[in-house]
Amino acid sequence: MQFVGEKYRITLLSNEVVRLEYSDTGEFVDSQTQSIMNREIEAKENIEYNIIESDDILEIYSPKFHLYYQKEQPFSKKTLYIDFNFAFFVHGNRWYFGDEFVNLKGTTRTLDEIDGSTPLEDGIISFKGFTILDDSHSQWIDEQGEIVRKPFESIDVYALAFGHDYNKGIQTYFKLTGFSPKLPRYALGNWWSRYWKYTEDSYKELVNTFKAKNIPLSVAVIDMDWHLTQIPERFGSSWTGYTWNKDYFPNPERFLKWLHDEGLAISLNLHPADGVRAFEDAYPAVAKRLKLNTDIEEPAIFDFTDKMFREAYFKDVMHPLEKQGVDFFWIDWQQGTEINGLDPLLLLNHYHFKDMQDRGKEPLILSRYAGPGSHRYPVGFSGDSFITWDSLKFQPYMTSTATNIGYTWWSHDIGGHMNGYRDDELMVRWVQFGVFSPINRLHSSSSLFTGKEPWSYPLVEEMIIADYLRKRHELLPYLYTFNVLTAEEGIPLIRPLYYEESDNQEVYKYDNEYYFGTELLVLPITSKLLPEVKMSSEEMYFPEGEWYDISTNLRYKGGASLNIYRGLAEMPVFAKAGAIIPLDLKPVENMRNELPTDITWKIYPGADNHFELIEELGNKRSITKVAVIDGELFLTIDDPDNILPTARQHHLVFCSTEKFKVEGYEVTFDEMSNNVQLSLTNPAKLNISGFKKIETQNIESRLFAILNQAQVKYWDKEKLWFKFQENKSDLQYLSIIQSIDSEDLKAAVFELIYVLNS
């Protein structure tokens, strides 16, 4: 619904979104822009409003706001304001045009050379209930998909009023700006990347070592030394290059085929700033297309606003590399200088992605964030962070908060890129975060000492790292489902904690804690081990309900915060009551990332729930539905094109449940973990009833482990242990805990007392 004057246009896009335009020339933007793809986000008949209008004043009353505007006047604090219908602050929610607006932030362009935190750009989620998206300076995307400069100046602002319904807010934002495309399945596995002078033989040795150690990989990223870096001085910098270094890779086609045969997708690093110069293998074709003077070695200057240059760049440089076997490119643009008024990073992201889409390839790039709308060009490369605890501590917050601007597929340099210091414990914690982050890409600089190969660490750390890298591939069925849900429904893999308890001001302070899909809650550990207990401590908030530690099956009561303690091999990952989690049972055997032959379903008691596992081959889709209602499980498989493995095994693991039987099936019970398990082959339908949660939890083995490794007096350990064995009341046991000298041991044991009463 539009209200139009000579110089203004105000459009109601939904009950929550209003667009404000003002132009001295009376020209308005109807095309797509770098940020906005679709303005028909709500059917007109569903938009509720009333107006009061005179010759001078326009007032619009909507369910979420009241807009006041002095018609034909330039937008200003005096001429336009909006009262938003939320009472989250005592002093009201009036926004005057031009005022800064409070929001929960979005993300940033790069972490290059950042040690720790850095300011984030704005997002579209706010505790105040409304935010502003300014599209005034966006460039246009025309009907052919070309980015063109906006030919006139105008104000083009979107006011978004979702209150505290953040989930609806981000889903509407995706409708407005375009959904994030589905990633190829391989992108969700483990990536290997290192700035290193690999040869064909040394890279094969690397891959074979991963294979020999049963550590799965999905993506092989080959950094800049794949191309010539020793070039004649007259050509300048060697940072840009497109010609294979035949000293290192004498037969690129053979090498890339070998990687593909090993089940790996392949990416090459690009630094395109210096264009295409005369030493490149592609130069004769580029020069012919662009009519360059080859006698003087005239270079093809990088200019992505020039359609002919782009044509040469893709057809003569990129496509031949793809034909050799490259799957996608890492666009490492750092310069940031505008070209004809346009951001070259935006141009590179847009046209690289478009080129793949236009040719029917699965589109994927690795590149930096270039502002709102960048989520349409995944995956994000966050830059060259320092190898420090401060850098790790910032990344979970940055990753979850990026969802507030729709940028849901961050890829960090897991382990850090440069400077900093060696700390084996830090590497373990970074890998743990990487496994439970959107993209898990191990990376390091060209230093001899910063390699992230798991076997370059002491045996204990190596085993933990390897185990978590296997966990990442176990998670692929779960991850791919949310890959689809993000692309089709705007349901991100990672959401900040406040998305589910938005009215609870307490949860906003837990920056590093986030939902990982709909079933899991994650808090990466970003602090060092405490010497007295040999565990790290983090303060964690448990949302309302019940939560199960997926490692121990211990249950925690929600609606409270608690200091939790975890050893080096442990990471706080919790499943909600009722959670249903599909996992690949054989991630090592399935290194080629095919659809799993064996699916484990982790099922947690305590609430009704349902989960739909989405699997795809090409354009064909299968959905396996598992629902739990009133203690009864229902499993159905919808596989119309028969894409699933014919003898797929389903392994149902009922976690933290009492022992029960299922007629017609062999059921096993693990007393240590209180798991009930049964297996079956591709049932069309299955109903199981009788499982329920264990009411009284057994913390004995966990308590013993904590006491056994604690670096404290033996007498203190024995006093706690024997008093626990005497079945003292909670109050009596708490009084005993208070007598212990170690504050960390007190808190670690108190966590178990909390569990005992959950």
Side-chain angles (χ1 to χ4, degrees):
M1 181 59 61
Q2 292 187 343
F3 305 89
V4 184
E6 291 185 9
K7 295 184 178 181
Y8 74 89
R9 184 169 68 173
I10 296 176
T11 309
L12 297 178
L13 301 181
S14 74
N15 291 323
E16 297 85 11
V17 182
V18 58
R19 184 187 188 194
L20 312 171
E21 295 176 275
Y22 186 88
S23 169
D24 285 327
T25 63
E27 297 175 276
F28 304 111
V29 178
D30 292 317
S31 70
Q32 294 179 336
T33 72
Q34 66 188 68
S35 298
I36 307 299
M37 290 283 104
N38 173 42
R39 299 183 183 91
E40 295 181 0
I41 60 175
E42 187 75 65
K44 292 180 180 179
E45 59 269 20
N46 294 333
I47 301 176
E48 304 173 37
Y49 69 95
N50 289 294
I51 64 169
I52 298 176
E53 187 171 13
S54 66
D55 290 343
D56 302 321
I57 304 297
L58 171 66
E59 293 186 77
I60 303 174
Y61 289 84
S62 156
K64 297 297 177 66
F65 59 83
H66 162 226
L67 182 148
Y68 172 93
Y69 172 53
Q70 295 179 18
K71 292 160 64 172
E72 300 300 348
Q73 298 300 310
F75 291 169
S76 71
K77 293 183 180 182
K78 294 182 178 180
T79 65
L80 191 155
Y81 66 79
I82 303 177
D83 286 321
F84 293 94
N85 299 338
F86 308 113
F88 303 135
F89 287 85
V90 175
H91 301 294
N93 262 11
R94 176 170 290 185
W95 173 77
Y96 292 94
F97 185 86
D99 279 353
E100 292 187 7
F101 59 95
V102 177
N103 69 92
L104 291 164
K105 311 310 292 183
T107 193
T108 189
R109 188 176 180 110
T110 182
L111 295 180
D112 279 352
E113 300 187 7
I114 299 295
D115 185 2
S117 64
T118 191
L120 300 180
E121 298 175 26
D122 289 328
I124 58 95
I125 300 296
S126 171
F127 185 78
K128 294 192 74 171
F130 70 91
T131 48
I132 305 299
L133 178 62
D134 190 347
D135 201 40
S136 303
H137 304 293
S138 277
Q139 308 307 325
W140 289 7
I141 299 177
D142 67 18
E143 293 180 356
Q144 287 72 46
E146 300 285 317
I147 294 181
V148 296
R149 290 190 64 185
K150 183 178 175 181
F152 55 85
E153 296 293 323
S154 71
I155 292 171
D156 193 357
V157 169
Y158 296 77
L160 304 99
F162 295 101
H164 283 174
D165 192 347
Y166 301 152
N167 289 297
K168 182 177 182 181
I170 200 64
Q171 287 165 8
T172 303
Y173 173 78
F174 281 129
K175 291 179 183 178
L176 186 65
T177 60
F179 286 81
S180 181
K182 275 188 300 187
L183 305 183
R185 192 173 189 275
Y186 63 74
L188 302 171
N190 297 319
W191 298 32
W192 176 260
S193 170
R194 188 182 184 187
Y195 180 14
W196 192 250
K197 293 183 184 296
Y198 284 111
T199 65
E200 178 177 1
D201 289 340
S202 66
Y203 209 100
K204 285 181 175 180
E205 181 182 0
L206 171 84
V207 172
N208 283 329
T209 304
F210 271 101
K211 190 175 181 179
K213 291 181 175 288
N214 293 323
I215 304 174
L217 288 178
S218 298
V219 179
V221 181
I222 308 172
D223 211 321
M224 66 169 289
D225 286 299
W226 69 271
H227 65 74
L228 295 174
T229 57
Q230 300 297 317
I231 60 175
E233 288 186 4
R234 67 182 184 277
F235 294 116
S237 169
S238 62
W239 206 241
T240 296
Y242 306 103
T243 302
W244 284 95
N245 185 334
K246 296 296 180 66
D247 290 336
Y248 295 163
F249 302 98
N251 188 331
E253 291 86 352
R254 177 184 65 200
F255 172 59
L256 299 183
K257 182 181 183 302
W258 184 87
L259 289 176
H260 279 151
D261 289 343
E262 291 299 310
L264 293 166
I266 301 155
S267 180
L268 298 182
N269 174 275
L270 304 175
H271 295 91
D274 289 326
V276 183
R277 292 163 290 177
F279 68 87
E280 303 280 9
D281 287 349
Y283 179 75
V286 171
K288 181 179 180 181
R289 189 181 299 274
L290 298 181
K291 298 181 173 55
L292 302 177
N293 186 337
T294 58
D295 293 337
I296 62 170
E297 297 182 327
E298 180 185 3
I301 302 298
F302 177 87
D303 180 0
F304 249 44
T305 66
D306 182 340
K307 189 172 183 177
M308 287 301 297
F309 174 80
R310 293 200 309 270
E311 185 177 336
Y313 175 87
F314 286 116
K315 290 186 176 180
D316 300 325
V317 185
M318 296 294 104
H319 295 176
L321 290 170
E322 288 183 4
K323 188 175 180 181
Q324 288 179 316
V326 178
D327 294 291
F328 68 100
F329 294 96
W330 172 11
I331 308 161
D332 201 351
W333 179 271
Q334 297 165 313
Q335 288 72 17
T337 304
E338 287 192 348
I339 298 175
N340 294 328
L342 297 175
D343 180 356
L345 175 60
L346 169 67
L347 295 169
L348 279 160
N349 292 352
H350 177 79
Y351 285 114
H352 261 274
F353 212 83
K354 181 178 183 298
D355 175 70
M356 298 183 80
Q357 283 180 316
D358 288 349
R359 293 181 294 124
K361 291 180 63 91
E362 281 189 298
L364 184 68
I365 60 172
L366 178 63
S367 188
R368 287 173 168 81
Y369 175 76
S374 291
H375 61 273
R376 299 193 304 274
Y377 316 115
V379 166
F381 162 53
S382 67
D384 300 339
S385 59
F386 281 22
I387 307 172
T388 65
W389 282 97
D390 285 341
S391 291
L392 171 59
K393 191 173 185 65
F394 179 65
Q395 287 188 6
Y397 163 68
M398 173 195 173
T399 305
S400 64
T401 306
T403 296
N404 293 340
I405 197 67
Y407 204 67
T408 61
W409 294 113
W410 265 127
S411 165
H412 302 299
D413 288 355
I414 296 301
H417 175 75
M418 59 191 289
N419 294 1
Y421 39 77
R422 172 146 182 170
D423 187 324
D424 299 338
E425 180 188 343
L426 172 62
M427 178 59 185
V428 170
R429 295 305 192 192
W430 220 319
V431 168
Q432 290 171 344
F433 163 61
V435 167
F436 288 92
S437 68
I439 301 294
N440 188 37
R441 179 177 53 85
L442 302 179
H443 182 76
S444 59
S445 69
S446 59
S447 168
L448 282 167
F449 303 106
T450 59
K452 302 303 190 302
E453 296 85 353
W455 51 89
S456 67
Y457 293 87
L459 182 59
V460 169
E461 285 81 358
E462 176 192 350
M463 293 175 65
I464 297 171
I465 291 169
D467 184 53
Y468 272 87
L469 294 176
R470 295 182 197 108
K471 286 182 190 297
R472 178 67 182 196
H473 280 241
E474 287 179 13
L475 285 163
L476 283 178
Y478 185 75
L479 292 168
Y480 190 83
T481 295
F482 285 97
N483 177 29
V484 175
L485 292 177
T486 301
E488 296 182 358
E489 299 182 31
I491 300 175
L493 172 66
I494 287 182
R495 294 171 299 143
L497 194 60
Y498 47 76
Y499 270 53
E500 293 302 319
E501 291 190 23
S502 54
D503 290 330
N504 182 356
Q505 294 191 41
E506 176 75 8
V507 305
Y508 289 82
K509 73 178 186 180
Y510 295 93
D511 290 344
N512 276 14
E513 189 175 339
Y514 51 83
Y515 293 98
F516 193 69
T518 54
E519 312 301 291
L520 296 173
L521 184 68
V522 172
L523 176 60
I525 287 179
T526 59
S527 57
K528 290 182 69 66
L529 293 169
L530 299 164
E532 285 188 333
V533 291
K534 300 183 76 173
M535 293 188 287
S536 296
S537 176
E538 302 285 347
E539 184 180 3
M540 182 161 191
Y541 177 80
F542 292 94
E544 292 294 338
E546 294 178 327
W547 297 88
Y548 293 85
D549 184 323
I550 67 169
S551 298
T552 65
N553 278 345
L554 293 177
R555 185 174 64 249
Y556 291 66
K557 187 184 300 180
S561 60
L562 181 70
N563 287 326
I564 61 173
Y565 286 75
R566 295 296 182 269
L568 186 60
E570 301 171 320
M571 180 182 179
V573 180
F574 291 84
K576 68 179 183 180
I580 302 167
I581 304 165
L583 302 170
D584 184 344
L585 180 65
K586 299 179 178 179
V588 174
E589 292 89 333
N590 191 22
M591 285 194 186
R592 298 182 187 278
N593 296 318
E594 298 164 346
L595 297 184
T597 58
D598 291 71
I599 293 283
T600 294
W601 295 91
K602 290 281 189 82
I603 301 155
Y604 294 83
D608 291 350
N609 190 24
H610 73 278
F611 190 92
E612 295 187 359
L613 169 63
I614 302 172
E615 299 176 276
E616 294 180 324
L617 282 179
N619 294 321
K620 299 176 181 179
R621 175 175 295 185
S622 169
I623 297 178
T624 303
K625 301 176 183 179
V626 175
V628 175
I629 303 171
D630 293 333
E632 186 171 3
L633 179 139
F634 303 87
L635 184 150
T636 58
I637 299 173
D638 183 11
D639 184 24
D641 296 306
N642 297 314
I643 66 172
L644 299 181
T646 54
R648 168 175 283 182
Q649 289 281 306
H650 293 265
H651 307 272
L652 305 180
V653 180
F654 298 89
C655 303
S656 193
T657 55
E658 293 185 355
K659 187 175 182 180
F660 66 95
K661 296 181 179 180
V662 179
E663 191 70 29
Y665 293 97
E666 181 180 349
V667 177
T668 60
F669 180 67
D670 183 345
E671 292 188 12
M672 289 294 294
S673 60
N674 294 323
N675 285 344
V676 176
Q677 179 172 330
L678 61 94
S679 300
L680 53 151
T681 303
N682 252 357
K685 287 186 177 182
L686 175 70
N687 289 10
I688 293 176
S689 60
F691 65 92
K692 58 183 179 178
K693 70 181 182 182
I694 292 177
E695 293 296 339
T696 303
Q697 302 193 87
N698 185 358
I699 64 169
E700 184 171 331
S701 61
R702 180 70 177 174
L703 176 61
F704 181 83
I706 290 173
L707 294 177
N708 189 44
Q709 70 181 9
Q711 309 292 294
V712 299
K713 297 174 184 176
Y714 286 114
W715 169 241
D716 284 345
K717 296 184 184 190
E718 290 168 352
K719 180 167 58 174
L720 280 171
W721 179 252
F722 289 121
K723 291 298 181 182
F724 174 77
Q725 295 293 315
E726 292 175 7
N727 293 316
K728 296 292 184 181
S729 70
D730 293 343
L731 288 177
Q732 289 174 309
Y733 200 65
L734 285 173
S735 68
I736 296 166
I737 293 173
Q738 291 304 316
S739 69
I740 302 301
D741 291 336
S742 169
E743 293 299 322
D744 289 322
L745 182 57
K746 286 180 187 178
V749 176
F750 178 78
E751 178 189 345
L752 293 184
I753 301 303
Y754 183 86
V755 168
L756 199 59
N757 288 275
S758 292

